[in-house]
Amino acid sequence: MGDFPQSVLFCCDHNAVRSPMAEALMKKMYGQKAYVQSAGVKNDMEVDGFSVAVCQELGIELSRHRSRSFEEMQEWGDDLSQFDLIVALSPASQRQALELTRHYHLDIEYWPILDPTGLGETREAKLQAYRQARDQIRSRMVARFGPPTEEGVTA
C-alpha cells in the first residue's frame, strides 16, 4: 500500500466503462480525501449503461458522467501535471499517459482491469462481466489505498 495521493486520474480507452467506474468508486469509498477525475484516450462514447447499472447496485450514481478525452481535459484547463497519480486501466491509456507526462515527475500505475464490453450473450451474463470489472477495480483500490473511509461502503 502506497501513500495516499492528493489527486488521482483514472484513464481507459473511451472514458465510458472502466475509468468512470473507478472515478465514482474512489469518490464513494474515500470521499473528499483526494481530487479524482477520469479521462479516455478517445471521447467517442457515452457512459455505458451496464456500468451505470452495476454501480447503481452499490448506491453509486454514474448516469450523469460525461465522457472526456485527455485532449479535452487539457482544453478545459486540467493539466495532467497537477495529478499525483495516474492509474491506467487499459494498455492504450497507459501508453497515452506515459507519452503526455514524459516531462513531468508523477506516478503512473497500470491496473490490468478486464474490459467487459464484448463479454456475455445475455443481459445477465453481460452484467456479470461488468460486476467482475467493477469488483477488480474496488479490490485494487483497497489494496492500494486501504480500507474505505466513507461509511456504508464495503470492501
Side-chain angles (χ1 to χ4, degrees):
M1 198 165 62
D3 292 336
F4 203 95
Q6 291 186 3
S7 55
V8 180
L9 175 68
F10 291 100
C11 55
C12 64
D13 295 345
H14 302 278
N15 194 221
V17 178
R18 291 168 286 180
S19 59
M21 283 199 286
E23 176 186 353
L25 279 165
M26 180 98 179
K27 287 176 176 175
K28 176 80 170 176
M29 291 169 59
Y30 301 102
Q32 300 295 312
K33 199 168 177 184
Y35 174 73
V36 183
Q37 289 292 321
S38 64
V41 174
K42 298 180 211 144
N43 170 22
D44 56 356
M45 301 169 70
E46 290 300 315
V47 68
D48 187 286
F50 288 108
S51 293
V52 172
V54 299
C55 283
Q56 216 162 26
E57 293 173 352
L58 301 179
I60 297 171
E61 174 58 48
L62 198 59
S63 63
R64 291 190 305 263
H65 177 81
R66 294 295 161 248
S67 299
R68 64 189 191 153
S69 65
F70 283 115
E71 189 176 306
E72 285 172 316
M73 270 187 71
Q74 292 174 312
E75 287 171 11
W76 297 344
D78 266 338
D79 187 352
L80 293 182
S81 67
Q82 77 184 16
F83 292 96
D84 296 327
L85 174 63
I86 296 177
V87 178
L89 305 173
S90 70
S93 65
Q94 180 188 28
R95 283 190 302 275
Q96 181 87 5
L98 288 168
E99 174 65 26
L100 291 172
T101 61
R102 67 183 181 275
H103 301 297
Y104 306 127
H105 178 73
L106 53 89
D107 291 329
I108 297 175
E109 293 181 9
Y110 174 57
W111 296 0
I113 302 298
L114 166 84
D115 180 0
T117 54
L119 303 177
E121 296 296 316
T122 65
R123 176 174 170 73
E124 189 51 41
K126 287 180 182 300
L127 284 169
Q128 274 308 114
Y130 279 75
R131 286 181 191 118
Q132 186 180 350
R134 176 200 66 199
D135 294 345
Q136 283 180 350
I137 293 167
R138 190 168 50 175
S139 294
R140 290 296 297 250
M141 277 185 191
V142 171
R144 173 63 170 83
F145 305 120
T149 57
E150 295 296 286
E151 292 189 24
V153 180
T154 57

